[in-house]
């Protein structure tokens, strides 16, 4: 398995991972504008998730993007941790 260093991966698969990080890092600042087409389906996902985690104490959102889903879940769960690779270069 490639080793990670300061958010950058090395090795054969590391180049692809770093390209992915750069791609999402460039897209992240304007992501919400680009995914307006999600609209109703994202709202439905949020509704379903909130129902599923309502009795939970803590939720981990991996690949949180701009955090819209994590923020909605935080309305019904005491603790929400959200991480995203686009934050690694911030």
């Amino acid at each position: 398995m490639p080793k990670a260093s300061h958010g950058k991966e090395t090795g054969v698969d590391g180049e692809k991972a770093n390209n992915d990080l750069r791609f999402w890092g460039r897209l992240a600042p304007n992501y919400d504008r680009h995914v307006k087409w999600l609209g109703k389906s994202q709202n439905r996902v949020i509704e379903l998730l909130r129902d599923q985690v309502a009795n939970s104490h803590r939720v981990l959102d991996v690949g949180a993007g701009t955090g819209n889903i994590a923020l909605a879940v935080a309305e019904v769960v005491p603790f929400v941790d959200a991480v995203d690779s686009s934050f690694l270069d911030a």
Side-chain angles (χ1 to χ4, degrees):
M1 177 168 233
K3 293 182 180 180
S5 173
H6 304 290
K8 303 292 183 205
E9 295 191 27
T10 58
V12 175
D13 294 330
E15 184 175 339
K16 181 185 179 327
N18 288 333
N19 287 338
D20 290 348
L21 286 172
R22 283 191 293 276
F23 171 80
W24 290 110
R26 285 191 307 270
L27 186 62
N30 300 303
Y31 183 79
D32 288 335
R33 261 195 347 226
H34 293 294
V35 295
K36 285 190 178 192
W37 55 269
L38 281 174
K40 290 181 183 178
S41 62
Q42 184 179 34
N43 291 339
R44 181 68 178 139
V45 167
I46 289 171
E47 180 183 318
L48 291 170
L49 281 172
R50 286 171 56 144
D51 290 345
Q52 290 293 315
V53 301
N55 294 321
S56 300
H57 180 69
R58 177 173 235 127
V59 170
L60 173 61
D61 183 357
V62 177
T66 57
N68 288 341
I69 293 174
L71 289 170
V73 168
E75 293 175 4
V76 297
V77 175
F79 298 97
V80 176
D81 298 302
V83 295
D84 193 277
S85 64
S86 64
F87 300 136
L88 293 176
D89 291 330

